[in-house]
Amino acid sequence: GFSTLPFSLYPNPATDYLYLQCHTGTADKATLTDVLGHNLWESENLPVNCAIPLAGLPRGVYFVHVIKDAQVWVERVVTY
């Protein structure tokens, strides 16, 4: 069945920062990768609210991988 995300990512599209807000508890890990899978940012044991820095990244499409309770979600993010 379709499950709603346990977090919000905003704004999308984004410029300087992307904000990750967990709805229940915290996330175990989050990573930001480019379309080629290069890891650009990573953090573990994230707080409920977390800012992912995007400054200096070229415009384009990126992916945020969020790991929580042994589940992985991947969200597409656009920077401009």
Side-chain angles (χ1 to χ4, degrees):
F2 180 80
S3 64
T4 57
L5 293 173
F7 57 87
S8 301
L9 273 176
Y10 61 92
N12 189 6
T15 46
D16 297 329
Y17 286 95
L18 182 68
Y19 296 96
L20 172 67
Q21 180 179 17
C22 293
H23 300 317
T24 54
T26 59
D28 301 320
K29 185 176 181 180
T31 57
L32 176 71
T33 63
D34 62 17
V35 290
L36 300 176
H38 297 133
N39 199 345
L40 305 173
W41 176 89
E42 179 176 293
S43 185
E44 295 188 13
N45 301 318
L46 283 84
V48 172
N49 290 294
C50 173
I52 301 172
L54 303 174
L57 292 179
R59 293 181 205 190
V61 175
Y62 296 89
F63 295 95
V64 175
H65 305 249
V66 178
I67 301 171
K68 180 174 167 54
D69 303 328
Q71 285 187 277
V72 181
W73 289 269
V74 180
E75 287 293 292
R76 182 177 180 268
V77 178
V78 177
T79 63
Y80 67 95

